[in-house]
């Protein structure tokens, strides 16, 4: 879509964020497309490069470096939109049965104001938003669910920067023939038929379908993840979802292209499966987790970060390439992992 359309959409989303925020209130060296692409020509030429910050699991009383790092990228026009895949503010950690923790949301949203006043902030819910039936999430964050044909404020989609973004709720029923699953199937079907306008499909939700965290291997990464794969793997295969972004585990890892538990290739050129990214180390009061099971137990895993440091993922996009860079927030933009997904036009 044309630049004017994207500018208008961006301004509408920012205005929505500002309206929500106001109702609740009484030197970094950024990587260029060439440097994150490691010398490849995949993002050169006259075509505009879109830039997306991907985060999950960020709240108050974690270290502040992720917010500061993303803000510096925004100031340098190196981030166009922030996508947050659940666990926002961590208010429930300050009294799940308390009615006096609303200040956590105020503090958290205030910390983001210099970002959300300049670029859209798009979210999906996580388990830490469930307090009072997600009341704070619904009050603070207004996503375009009605505009995307959804019957629920917890899942929606939008087109931006040549990407069809789909925010789903892993905290609500996603089983086969559920309302959310039926909506998702129709939404992905339409997007897959519109590749000329939006070449890429990225789905983001809170809980992982593929992960290899050692601490949560038995429950989250084995039992729970398999249940989510039963709900989503077929849709991802049928409609050629390129990337799934999530959090829940407070760490970073990425997969090879994978479908139904099988690695389709150990490269990212015209992948026949979905690439899964866990980017849940943005910083929160519970801390990060650097533990992973051995490679042979998770053959789909392609990369990970053995660090307690906070970080976030930068995605740079044009019509034929997605370049991902995992950035340590405290190291002023240090890229500790990067990879590129390419496809033929």
């Amino acid at each position: 879509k044309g630049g004017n359309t994207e500018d208008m959409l961006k301004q509408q989303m920012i205005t929505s964020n500002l309206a929500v925020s106001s109702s609740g209130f009484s030197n970094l060296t950024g990587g260029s497309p060439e440097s994150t692409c490691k010398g490849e020509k995949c993002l050169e030429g006259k075509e505009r490069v879109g830039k997306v910050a991907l985060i999950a699991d960020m709240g108050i009383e974690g270290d502040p470096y992720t917010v500061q790092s993303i803000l510096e990228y925004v100031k340098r026009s190196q981030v166009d939109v922030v996508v947050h895949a659940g666990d926002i503010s961590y208010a429930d950690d300050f009294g799940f049965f308390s009615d006096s923790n609303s200040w956590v949301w105020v503090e958290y949203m205030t910390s983001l104001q210099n970002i959300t006043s300049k670029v859209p902030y798009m979210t999906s819910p996580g388990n830490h938003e469930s307090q009072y039936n997600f009341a704070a999430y619904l009050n603070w964050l207004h996503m375009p669910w009605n505009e995307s044909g959804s019957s629920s404020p917890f899942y929606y989609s939008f087109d931006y920067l040549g990407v069809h973004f789909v925010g789903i709720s892993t905290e609500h029923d996603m089983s086969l023939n559920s309302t959310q699953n039926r909506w998702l199937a129709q939404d992905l079907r339409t997007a897959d038929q519109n590749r000329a306008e939006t070449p890429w499909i990225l789905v983001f939700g809170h809980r992982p379908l593929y992960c290899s965290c050692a601490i949560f291997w038995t429950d989250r990464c084995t039992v729970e993840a398999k249940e989510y794969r039963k709900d989503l793997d077929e849709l991802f295969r049928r409609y050629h979802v390129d990337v799934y972004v999530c959090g829940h585990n407070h760490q970073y890892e990425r997969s090879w292209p994978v479908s139904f538990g099988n690695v389709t290739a150990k490269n990212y050129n015209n992948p026949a499966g979905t690439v899964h990214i866990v980017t849940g180390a943005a910083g929160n009061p519970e801390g990060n987790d650097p533990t992973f099971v051995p490679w042979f137990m998770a053959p789909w895993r392609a990369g990970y970060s053995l660090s307690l440091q906070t970080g976030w993922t930068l995605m740079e996009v044009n019509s034929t390439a997605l370049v991902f860079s995992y950035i340590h927030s405290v190291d002023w933009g240090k890229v500790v992992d990067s990879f590129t997904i390419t496809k033929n036009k």
Side-chain angles (χ1 to χ4, degrees), residues 17 24 51 53 55 107 159 171 180 250 259 261 269 278 285 292:
N17 281 336
K51 301 181 181 183
I55 60 173
E107 182 175 320
D159 293 340
E171 311 313 299
Q180 180 172 194
H250 298 173
S259 182
N269 301 320
V278 178
F292 294 88

Side-chain angles (χ1 to χ4, degrees), residues 92-105:
D92 65 337
D93 275 6
F94 296 83
F96 187 85
F97 298 103
S98 169
D99 59 1
S100 60
N101 59 3
S102 60
W103 62 271
V104 179
W105 276 92

Side-chain angles (χ1 to χ4, degrees), residues 72-195:
E72 290 303 318
Y73 274 73
V74 168
K75 288 178 178 177
R76 296 165 65 95
S77 299
Q78 292 182 332
V79 162
D80 298 296
V81 57
V82 178
V83 171
H84 190 153
D87 279 6
I88 303 163
S89 89
Y90 282 75
D92 65 337
D93 275 6
F94 296 83
F96 187 85
F97 298 103
S98 169
D99 59 1
S100 60
N101 59 3
S102 60
W103 62 271
V104 179
W105 276 92
V106 174
E107 182 175 320
Y108 175 79
M109 295 301 290
T110 301
S111 74
L112 291 183
Q113 196 167 27
N114 288 334
I115 295 173
T116 58
S117 62
K118 296 178 177 64
V119 300
Y121 179 58
M122 312 304 290
T123 64
S124 62
N127 55 292
H128 279 279
E129 286 80 79
S130 66
Q131 187 181 26
Y132 298 118
N133 198 24
F134 298 88
Y137 178 88
L138 294 172
N139 181 60
W140 283 95
L141 299 164
H142 299 172
M143 298 297 111
W145 59 277
N146 193 49
E147 295 87 337
S148 51
S150 169
S151 60
S152 168
F154 298 114
Y155 44 91
Y156 64 98
S157 65
F158 62 99
D159 293 340
Y160 196 44
L161 305 171
V163 180
H164 183 70
F165 292 90
V166 187
I168 63 173
S169 175
T170 59
E171 311 313 299
H172 297 83
D173 188 6
M174 298 192 301
S175 61
L176 297 178
N177 209 37
S178 65
T179 301
Q180 180 172 194
N181 194 282
R182 291 197 304 271
W183 171 83
L184 180 61
Q186 179 59 53
D187 184 85
L188 292 177
R189 183 183 303 116
T190 301
D192 194 39
Q193 295 169 349
N194 192 38
R195 296 283 184 163

Side-chain angles (χ1 to χ4, degrees), residues 41-341:
K41 303 299 182 183
C42 57
L43 291 177
E44 292 188 351
K46 296 181 181 179
E47 187 179 358
R48 183 189 172 193
V49 176
K51 301 181 181 183
V52 184
L54 303 170
I55 60 173
D57 300 84
M58 188 165 76
I60 70 166
E61 293 192 7
D63 71 52
Y65 297 112
T66 297
V67 172
Q68 294 173 7
S69 180
I70 293 174
L71 177 58
E72 290 303 318
Y73 274 73
V74 168
K75 288 178 178 177
R76 296 165 65 95
S77 299
Q78 292 182 332
V79 162
D80 298 296
V81 57
V82 178
V83 171
H84 190 153
D87 279 6
I88 303 163
S89 89
Y90 282 75
D92 65 337
D93 275 6
F94 296 83
F96 187 85
F97 298 103
S98 169
D99 59 1
S100 60
N101 59 3
S102 60
W103 62 271
V104 179
W105 276 92
V106 174
E107 182 175 320
Y108 175 79
M109 295 301 290
T110 301
S111 74
L112 291 183
Q113 196 167 27
N114 288 334
I115 295 173
T116 58
S117 62
K118 296 178 177 64
V119 300
Y121 179 58
M122 312 304 290
T123 64
S124 62
N127 55 292
H128 279 279
E129 286 80 79
S130 66
Q131 187 181 26
Y132 298 118
N133 198 24
F134 298 88
Y137 178 88
L138 294 172
N139 181 60
W140 283 95
L141 299 164
H142 299 172
M143 298 297 111
W145 59 277
N146 193 49
E147 295 87 337
S148 51
S150 169
S151 60
S152 168
F154 298 114
Y155 44 91
Y156 64 98
S157 65
F158 62 99
D159 293 340
Y160 196 44
L161 305 171
V163 180
H164 183 70
F165 292 90
V166 187
I168 63 173
S169 175
T170 59
E171 311 313 299
H172 297 83
D173 188 6
M174 298 192 301
S175 61
L176 297 178
N177 209 37
S178 65
T179 301
Q180 180 172 194
N181 194 282
R182 291 197 304 271
W183 171 83
L184 180 61
Q186 179 59 53
D187 184 85
L188 292 177
R189 183 183 303 116
T190 301
D192 194 39
Q193 295 169 349
N194 192 38
R195 296 283 184 163
E197 287 290 321
T198 52
W200 303 97
I201 298 177
L202 182 149
V203 178
F204 62 100
H206 184 57
R207 299 178 190 243
L209 279 64
Y210 294 88
C211 60
S212 61
C213 169
I215 291 178
F216 295 113
W217 174 253
T218 303
D219 48 7
R220 289 186 187 179
C221 296
T222 302
V223 177
E224 185 178 297
K226 285 182 179 178
E227 288 299 311
Y228 291 131
R229 294 204 292 269
K230 286 198 312 186
D231 300 334
L232 299 176
D233 255 349
E234 173 57 27
L235 292 180
F236 285 11
R237 182 203 63 81
R238 187 185 309 163
Y239 302 116
H240 312 102
V241 171
D242 298 291
V243 182
Y244 177 67
V245 175
C246 62
H248 201 37
N249 299 339
H250 298 173
Q251 54 189 204
Y252 166 82
E253 66 174 309
R254 60 178 166 94
S255 76
W256 295 114
V258 63
S259 182
F260 293 98
N262 299 312
V263 174
T264 61
K266 289 200 171 182
N267 64 69
Y268 297 105
N269 301 320
N270 296 308
T274 302
V275 176
H276 293 253
I277 300 173
V278 178
T279 183
N284 60 74
E286 297 177 359
N288 287 340
D289 172 17
T291 68
F292 294 88
V293 299
W295 290 95
F296 70 87
M297 296 176 66
W300 57 79
R301 188 177 66 210
Y304 61 104
S305 174
L306 283 169
S307 175
L308 287 167
Q309 290 192 35
T310 58
W312 59 283
T313 302
L314 174 68
M315 181 180 78
E316 299 169 274
V317 54
N318 71 8
S319 62
T320 60
L322 297 176
V323 177
F324 294 89
S325 303
Y326 182 64
I327 295 168
H328 271 174
S329 306
V330 72
D331 289 335
W332 303 112
K334 178 182 178 182
V335 174
V336 295
D337 181 59
S338 64
F339 68 103
T340 301
I341 304 174

